[in-house]
Amino acid sequence: SQTIHQWPATLVQPVGSPLSLECTVEGTSNPNLYWYRQAAGRGLQLLFYSVGIGQISSEVPQNLSASRPQDRQFILSSKKLLLSDSGFYLCAQTGGVYNEQFFGPGTRLTVL
Amino acid sequence: AQSVTQLDSHVSVSEGTPVLLRCNYSSSYSPSLFWYVQHPNKGLQLLLKYTSAATLVKGINGFEAEFKKSETSFHLTKPSAHMSDAAEYFCVVRAGGFKTIFGAGTRLFVKA
């Protein structure tokens, strides 16, 4: 079965500082991986998805970037955080016969 | 193009009474439809999925949903609400490609 790990679980960072959130998956090879952001009172916003190592598609222009250095590792980064980057970040992968998405536990980011 | 609309942002029920969370979708293709549940500060958990095998789909925790093509609906129901059902629920459509479209979410409150 698939397992998704996200690190860290919570993070408080000052405006202008860098960011690195990590997502690792187990139990599958060559997964499609996704980063979502969930801001307070809003639904899920797809930020990036990746179909393989080094392949990143960005859904919205923003202050963030993503990288996939290994098959089962997906990293979300920023050089300088903004207040608007605060939110709950979820990593997901598709799996199963009908390509349903499975989610990690999330990272709560607060930018002060 | 695909879209999904959750008709209620908040639903409040008393414990032991039925639950109805409404979802309408739009898709040019034969869609796969899903319901997810999210408890506070947690990742999303798959409740159930429709994949054209049967129009009435049973999921975990006593939830079920009925796919009605003529109404383009996929409403989530449960005969008797429990306090532990209080959470946010997302209706999701997937119709080809790598992207999954999430509804805005419905927050379910359960009163004792």
Side-chain angles (χ1 to χ4, degrees), chain B residues 2 12 29 32 34 40 42 50-51 56 58 64 76 81 97:
Chain B
Q2 300 88 37
S12 182
Y29 307 96
S32 294
F34 310 86
K42 301 291 185 182
Y50 165 75
T51 55
L56 183 61
K58 294 186 183 297
E64 61 183 37
L76 182 70

Side-chain angles (χ1 to χ4, degrees), chain B residues 25-45:
Chain B
Y25 71 92
S26 173
S27 176
S28 304
Y29 307 96
S30 182
S32 294
L33 296 161
F34 310 86
W35 276 99
Y36 287 82
V37 60
Q38 184 183 31
H39 289 90
N41 291 311
K42 301 291 185 182
L44 278 70
Q45 180 185 19

